[in-house]
């Protein structure tokens, strides 16, 4: 069957298994990680719902045939996994990038061809401030790697969700396996501060020159002084054989998610407002902190956490809701150990 006619000739799933599962000799196997949930029975565009392949976000699929511009043939990688049609990268990008304004839900049944004219689709581009077309992630080509230690562990989250506490606990408990960077600053050292401990002190002109040269992963200004994390300082930790733990701004993921840093990215999500309020009260009562946060402050943390998750969800390897620091640490520790014991699916650019 000619694959280009898939939009007119509707294949049952069995036919796809028989006709589509065989690849051309010498053609490389293609595997993708899905960054969205898909159910063909909720899809008004698929030519045949019964021929569609349902999948969940995070699942790995083998792409069998992608000659058709709109519908690819794929199968689940797990043993005995089913096969079927999935929307192509091109089709799903169009769907994600635009908002449907007018659509006729009626469509042909499987095994029939309809000549009935459809209403035209009208689209309005979204004008969401968080929307970035280049951030749309549909499928990501991946390769299977044997167990290995990631070069970096990147903790993403809103301010006040406990990232620093988790990072410090890992380093204190196992300094031979985990380390972190020392931030640079242009401010003058205080009397009790030694260079290279809490901060590395440099002149403002030197720091500005290095920022301009792209030597900083991230930087910012506070009370007239510059602060930042140098890229080389991450690599220095990695070169000692340790995993470098970073708690950085999510924008930094665009730089870090390469073979040079091979990050395991964990989103530390804020719990519900009531839980966060109780956790804050507990640390204040225990004398762990003297900083009192208002309900407005706590709500900002919850809202910021939700915003980061919406915007950067496709980068996360794991999401942990921190409603209890000890339990969150255990979950993170279990995930890190698993990386050293089980094969991993990683972006193909890390391998080739």
């Amino acid at each position: 069957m000619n694959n280009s006619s898939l939009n007119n000739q509707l294949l049952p799933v069995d036919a796809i298994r028989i006709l589509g599962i065989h690849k051309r000799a010498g053609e490389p196997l293609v595997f993708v990680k899905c960054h969205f949930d898909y159910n063909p029975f909720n899809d008004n565009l698929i030519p045949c719902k019964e021929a569609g392949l349902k999948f969940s976000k995070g699942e790995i699929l083998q792409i069998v045939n992608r000659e058709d511009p709109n519908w690819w043939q794929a199968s689940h990688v797990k043993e005995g996994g089913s096969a079927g049609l999935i929307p192509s990268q091109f089709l799903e990008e169009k769907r994600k990038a635009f908002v449907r304004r007018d659509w006729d839900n009626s469509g042909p049944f499987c095994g029939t061809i309809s000549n009935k004219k459809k209403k035209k689709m009208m689209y309005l581009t979204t004008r969401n401030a968080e929307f970035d077309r280049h951030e749309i992630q549909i499928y990501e080509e991946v390769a299977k790697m044997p167990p290995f230690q990631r070069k970096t562990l990147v903790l993403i989250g809103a301010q006040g969700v406990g990232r620093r506490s988790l990072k410090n606990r890992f380093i204190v408990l196992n300094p031979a396996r985990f380390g972190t960077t020392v931030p640079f600053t242009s401010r003058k050292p205080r009397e009790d501060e030694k260079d290279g401990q809490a901060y590395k002190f440099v002149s403002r002109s030197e720091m500005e020159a290095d920022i301009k040269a792209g030597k900083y992963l991230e930087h910012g200004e506070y009370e007239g002084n510059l602060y930042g994390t140098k890229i080389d300082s991450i690599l220095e930790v990695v070169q000692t054989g340790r995993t470098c733990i970073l708690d950085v701004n999510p924008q930094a993921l665009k730089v870090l998610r390469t073979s040079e840093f091979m990050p395991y990215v964990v989103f530390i999500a804020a719990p519900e407002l009531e839980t966060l309020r109780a956790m804050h009260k507990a640390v204040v009562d225990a004398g762990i902190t003297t900083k009192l946060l208002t309900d407005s402050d706590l709500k900002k943390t919850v809202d910021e956490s939700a915003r980061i998750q919406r915007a950067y969800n496709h980068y996360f390897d794991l999401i942990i809701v921190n409603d209890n620091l000890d339990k969150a640490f255990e979950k993170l520790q279990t995930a890190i150990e698993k990386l050293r014991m089980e094969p991993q699916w990683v972006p193909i650019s890390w391998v080739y």
Side-chain angles (χ1 to χ4, degrees), residues 79-93:
E79 196 172 333
S82 53
L85 295 179
I86 63 171
S88 68
Q89 177 88 13
F90 170 75
L91 176 62
E92 200 60 28
E93 268 187 5

Side-chain angles (χ1 to χ4, degrees), residues 274-331:
E274 284 292 325
T275 306
L276 191 61
R277 189 184 290 129
M279 289 173 72
H280 178 61
K281 184 178 184 302
V283 295
V284 171
D285 290 348
I288 297 170
T289 182
T290 55
K291 187 178 179 183
L292 293 172
L293 298 177
T294 65
D295 251 27
S296 176
D297 294 329
L298 297 172
K299 190 174 185 307
K300 277 180 187 173
T301 296
V302 173
D303 291 345
E304 175 70 1
S305 180
R307 186 196 68 78
I308 293 171
Q309 187 166 358
R310 282 195 305 271
Y312 297 93
N313 196 40
H314 54 279
Y315 284 116
F316 306 150
D317 294 301
L318 178 67
I319 295 174
I320 295 175
V321 178
N322 185 14
D323 52 9
N324 178 294
L325 194 64
D326 291 335
K327 288 181 180 176
F329 178 77
E330 285 174 18
K331 287 177 185 174

